[in-house]
Amino acid sequence: MKNLINNFTFRKIALSVADMFIIIMAAVLTNTFLMESRKYLLQTAVLGIICCFFALFFCGAYTKMWRYFKLKDYISCVAGIIVGISASTVIYYVITNKLMINYALVHASWSLIGVCLFRFIFHSVFIDLTEMGMNDAKRKRTLIVGGGLLSSTLLKEINTMHSLNKNSNSTTINPICIADDDIRKIGKEVEGVKIVGKTAEITEIAKKHNIEQIIFAISVCSADDRKRILDICSETQLPVKILPSLNDLIHDENKPQLLNQIRDIKVEDLLGRDPIRFDNQNIKNFISGKVCMVTGGGGSIGSELVRQIAKYSPKQVIILDIYENNAYDIQQELRMEFGNSLNFVTLIASVRDYFRMNQIFEKYKPQIVFHAAAHKHVPLMEDSPMEAIKNNIRGTFNTASLAQFHNVEKFVMISTDKAVNPTNCMGASKRCCEMIVQYLSQQNESKTEFVTTRFGNVLGSNGSVIPLFKRQIEQGKPVTVTHPDIIRYFMTIPEAVNLVLEAASIANGGEIFVLDMGKPVKILTLAENLIRMYGKVPYEDVEIKFTGLRPGEKLKEELLMNEEGLQKTENKLIFIGKQIEIDENSFAERLYTLCNAAEKNDETVAIQALHDMVPTFVTPEEFNSRMIKEKENTENNQSENG
């Protein structure tokens, strides 16, 4: 029975039958009221039914969905009754030569009252009763943020899906109201849904209207405004979903345009900056027809590098990794994606093994090398610093020097913001890697162009804080944050990889490319927002524990050292950090001492040698105490000025 009620074709028939019954009863009441002869009753009733049905149909009284029937929609009923009764009166006059004006006026009045009253009662009572039987989890009261074209398109599709009775995401959306910052729109309706206030009032709107979920549906929105609005949405402690912009919609004739593309809010939506855009033509010209090697090709950055390179028609891709499981995964992915159209090889090898790496360079003759192989986990490398030195420093020297020896066109090293004023062995080792690349680039006889790319934390990478937080929330465990004041720069994996490719395409040799990553993000705020995105309340539904800074961990990462200046590039969000001149003689000696001590696992000598190699390498206690003092001074100055 419920399927019949929800079927729009059945509802049109039922509504038209109800209207005809009302018109008959109106004719009976009119005949009784005017005390006309009963012989007129059958004739006027039949004419009234026929004329009013067609008039109501053509005036659109049966095209409106009962669920969304609004005050303005009663106009179609009024027009249909007036036209129908008028037409029946004219036809009766032509047949009988008798003009019954009074009868027509009373009949029309009773019919109008009956038809409109029935719709009002049905909309107010019957719809509520039928919806009571629905699963509340399927029909959530929804606040839509944005009253523009995107929300209009969404609401049209919801209406269409209801009318067609499709089992789709439309059953989860019961649009109650809209929030929009354009004050000219407040009070108006979009597809029958009222705009009730501004985005700053979202929390109050959600409480007032008993909202159960929020959909962000703004097509054009700056990154700052997006972050501001989504932060407000997260304060409601309701599930928040997001629609892509109209430009980013996936067009598929076999799917709804919007309902299948509503997604959960992602952490990158909260970064407070627009996605980085790059010149893909530069990258295509650079990669096309070249033999490209990616070390660490199975890791988060390395595998994405391989995916992106594969799209630009390389001559061959060499995927090199020591971890066979990751290497196997990317190998199978490329086979499924490209089949035989992509020439690639997957090699298991360690960048520490100079002779194995030399064998690979001799056999495959790479023209471009992307060096992503490295140990990256700060606490693990604090416990095993010799491995950071062997893998990161020795591995980079092996790969870079072999690239120079074999006349590779470009060598691109992936670095990290932890290399800037490092407070841990991993960061210091990566800074040493940057210095190796700079050292080799200074040699005049080198035909290889060496370039370094430096960026912050990568969302979703192996070891990233976001997957850890998600696992903790999903398993019902406390979310662990090391310190309430810790902040980090973040970027997405595609952004990081595009930076590497863009830097490689425009590099002349010797540069450190730095990405303008926008505002740093407080990890505690990130954790709180992530908990809210799961529809839970921080500190109530999910506990947040502060575990203390890990060994070697900074409160705040940096992207530039004090000695480095910034030089602009054609891409306004990519800068070149001025490299510090390397003393070639003393550097080579210190590098030998460092690597030799690491090979002997002489930790005391190796760590001291690392400090000698990287003068900016300080203890985390020293750095963090300075940061805390700077924060306290800033707060004191603000309170005094306030």
Side-chain angles (χ1 to χ4, degrees):
M1 183 62 185
K2 188 184 293 183
N3 290 336
L4 286 175
I5 292 173
N6 289 330
N7 186 280
F8 193 39
T9 302
F10 172 79
R11 285 183 291 176
K12 285 193 289 187
I13 296 172
L15 188 58
S16 62
V17 169
D19 286 343
M20 299 310 101
F21 177 77
I22 290 168
I23 291 167
I24 291 173
M25 294 307 299
V28 172
L29 288 172
T30 302
N31 194 272
T32 303
F33 180 75
L34 295 178
M35 293 184 291
E36 292 285 350
S37 173
R38 290 190 178 182
K39 67 179 182 179
Y40 302 122
L41 175 59
L42 181 60
Q43 297 170 332
T44 55
V46 172
L47 284 173
I49 288 172
I50 296 172
C51 293
C52 285
F53 171 78
F54 285 105
L56 287 167
F57 180 83
F58 286 112
C59 286
Y62 302 128
T63 61
K64 303 292 188 298
M65 290 187 65
W66 298 344
R67 186 184 309 279
Y68 302 107
F69 214 82
K70 301 296 181 183
L71 183 61
K72 63 181 181 180
D73 297 320
Y74 287 95
I75 296 174
S76 61
C77 298
V78 173
I81 293 297
I82 292 174
V83 171
I85 296 298
S86 299
S88 67
T89 302
V90 171
I91 293 172
Y92 187 79
Y93 172 73
V94 171
I95 295 174
T96 64
N97 201 30
K98 183 176 181 180
L99 189 60
M100 302 177 66
I101 299 296
N102 291 338
Y103 188 95
L105 291 173
V106 176
H107 190 193
S109 299
W110 283 117
S111 298
L112 278 173
I113 293 171
V115 167
C116 293
L117 186 61
F118 174 78
R119 278 163 172 75
F120 176 78
I121 294 173
F122 189 90
H123 176 77
S124 302
V125 179
F126 187 71
I127 291 297
D128 289 341
L129 290 174
T130 57
E131 289 193 343
M132 283 175 62
M134 293 184 179
N135 188 338
D136 290 338
K138 290 185 177 181
R139 293 283 297 153
K140 293 183 178 179
R141 297 174 64 84
T142 303
L143 166 64
I144 296 175
V145 180
L149 179 59
L150 192 59
S151 62
S152 174
T153 307
L154 172 65
L155 289 168
K156 285 179 181 176
E157 188 165 312
I158 291 172
N159 292 348
T160 301
M161 297 307 293
H162 276 304
S163 68
L164 296 175
N165 189 31
K166 295 290 186 182
N167 293 321
S168 70
N169 287 346
S170 65
T171 59
T172 69
I173 301 171
N174 182 14
I176 301 299
C177 54
I178 299 172
D180 194 283
D181 281 331
D182 188 345
I183 57 175
R184 296 171 297 179
K185 294 181 179 179
I186 295 175
K188 296 182 179 179
E189 292 184 351
V190 177
E191 299 299 320
V193 181
K194 191 173 182 179
I195 301 174
V196 296
K198 300 172 68 175
T199 58
E201 302 165 345
I202 284 175
T203 304
E204 292 79 11
I205 293 170
K207 290 179 180 177
K208 180 179 178 181
H209 294 275
N210 298 318
I211 298 301
E212 296 175 285
Q213 70 176 356
I214 299 173
I215 294 179
F216 183 94
I218 302 178
S219 181
V220 180
C221 185
S222 71
D224 284 340
D225 281 340
R226 175 183 289 252
K227 183 177 184 300
R228 174 185 63 81
I229 295 170
L230 290 176
D231 283 345
I232 295 171
C233 291
S234 70
E235 291 173 4
T236 64
Q237 301 171 4
L238 296 171
V240 181
K241 297 185 180 296
I242 195 166
L243 272 171
S245 67
L246 289 173
N247 290 333
D248 295 332
L249 290 179
I250 302 171
H251 297 285
D252 187 341
E253 293 179 358
N254 299 319
K255 294 181 181 178
Q257 293 295 313
L258 289 179
L259 290 172
N260 281 7
Q261 298 182 57
I262 295 174
R263 61 170 174 81
D264 291 333
I265 186 173
K266 297 178 181 177
V267 177
E268 47 262 45
D269 295 319
L270 304 173
L271 292 184
R273 61 171 174 79
D274 294 318
I276 310 302
R277 304 296 182 189
F278 297 88
D279 187 345
N280 290 336
Q281 188 58 47
N282 276 353
I283 298 173
K284 183 176 182 180
N285 294 338
F286 171 59
I287 295 293
S288 181
K290 300 288 181 65
V291 179
C292 301
M293 176 191 285
V294 181
T295 69
S300 304
I301 297 296
S303 61
E304 183 65 20
L305 267 169
V306 170
R307 293 184 193 97
Q308 295 296 330
I309 290 169
K311 296 177 182 178
Y312 295 111
S313 304
K315 182 178 180 181
Q316 186 179 38
V317 181
I318 304 160
I319 305 167
L320 188 147
D321 205 298
I322 189 61
Y323 183 45
E324 62 179 21
N325 290 348
N326 281 350
Y328 176 79
D329 287 343
I330 188 64
Q331 179 193 59
Q332 297 306 306
E333 180 182 330
L334 292 178
R335 283 179 178 172
M336 287 189 290
E337 178 73 17
F338 296 96
N340 296 325
S341 64
L342 177 66
N343 180 10
F344 73 96
V345 293
T346 307
L347 305 175
I348 303 302
S350 171
V351 293
R352 299 185 190 188
D353 189 338
Y354 181 89
F355 297 102
R356 168 69 169 144
M357 292 298 294
N358 183 55
Q359 183 185 58
I360 292 170
F361 273 91
E362 285 184 342
K363 180 176 181 179
Y364 294 99
K365 296 178 174 53
Q367 296 165 278
I368 305 169
V369 174
F370 297 92
H371 183 51
H375 286 322
K376 306 179 183 72
H377 297 274
V378 170
L380 290 178
M381 292 305 101
E382 287 300 284
D383 292 333
S384 306
M386 297 303 95
E387 299 309 305
I389 295 170
K390 294 174 190 175
N391 198 63
N392 294 357
I393 298 175
R394 169 68 78 178
T396 296
F397 183 79
N398 286 346
T399 310
S401 59
L402 284 168
Q404 185 183 57
F405 179 79
H406 288 278
N407 295 321
V408 168
E409 294 177 15
K410 282 191 180 180
F411 179 91
V412 186
M413 196 201 79
I414 287 76
S415 189
T416 169
D417 56 359
K418 292 175 177 61
V420 180
N421 299 322
T423 61
N424 50 72
C425 290
M426 194 285 288
S429 71
K430 293 298 284 185
R431 174 56 192 154
C432 191
C433 293
E434 293 181 353
M435 296 169 74
I436 290 170
V437 171
Q438 176 65 11
Y439 165 75
L440 293 174
S441 72
Q442 289 178 190
Q443 299 179 11
N444 295 329
E445 68 275 12
S446 176
K447 296 181 180 179
T448 303
E449 294 178 353
F450 290 91
V451 58
T452 297
T453 56
R454 185 192 289 164
F455 44 79
N457 293 268
V458 180
L459 290 169
S461 65
N462 295 329
S464 169
V465 70
I466 305 304
L468 173 62
F469 286 168
K470 287 184 175 180
R471 285 197 301 272
Q472 290 171 334
I473 296 169
E474 289 167 1
Q475 293 175 15
K477 296 179 179 179
V479 171
T480 55
V481 179
T482 59
H483 193 282
D485 294 325
I486 196 166
I487 60 176
R488 290 290 184 265
Y489 292 95
F490 282 97
M491 67 189 309
T492 65
I493 292 177
E495 284 179 327
V497 167
N498 272 301
L499 168 64
V500 173
L501 295 174
E502 176 84 353
S505 69
I506 64 177
N508 295 313
E511 304 100 330
I512 287 184
F513 285 85
V514 181
L515 176 65
D516 179 1
M517 300 184 67
K519 300 175 183 177
V521 178
K522 198 171 183 180
I523 299 298
L524 177 59
T525 303
L526 199 62
E528 291 171 343
N529 284 336
L530 195 61
I531 291 169
R532 293 188 184 107
M533 283 161 50
Y534 276 84
K536 300 180 183 294
V537 182
Y539 308 105
E540 293 182 14
D541 299 331
V542 179
E543 182 184 357
I544 297 179
K545 280 188 176 180
F546 297 106
T547 57
L549 291 171
R550 298 173 298 177
E553 190 170 37
K554 280 182 176 181
L555 280 175
K556 178 183 179 181
E557 300 291 358
E558 306 160 279
L559 290 171
L560 281 175
M561 296 187 297
N562 293 333
E563 297 89 344
E564 295 172 332
L566 281 179
Q567 177 185 341
K568 293 182 179 179
T569 66
E570 292 182 2
N571 189 316
K572 65 180 182 179
L573 295 176
I574 301 178
F575 299 89
I576 299 175
K578 184 180 179 181
Q579 280 278 26
I580 303 165
E581 194 73 17
I582 302 294
D583 185 327
E584 296 185 16
N585 293 325
S586 61
F587 180 80
E589 292 176 4
R590 291 197 299 268
L591 182 62
Y592 174 80
T593 301
L594 173 63
C595 292
N596 188 51
E599 291 299 328
K600 294 179 179 179
N601 292 309
D602 190 338
E603 188 169 320
T604 302
V605 174
I607 296 299
Q608 183 56 52
L610 189 57
H611 277 279
D612 293 339
M613 285 282 292
V614 184
T616 56
F617 183 12
V618 297
T619 65
E621 292 77 17
E622 180 183 350
F623 180 88
N624 291 329
S625 62
R626 187 171 73 245
M627 292 298 301
I628 292 171
K629 286 180 181 179
E630 289 178 4
K631 180 186 175 185
E632 290 175 350
N633 291 335
T634 302
E635 291 175 349
N636 290 335
N637 292 334
Q638 289 176 347
S639 62
E640 289 173 3
N641 295 333

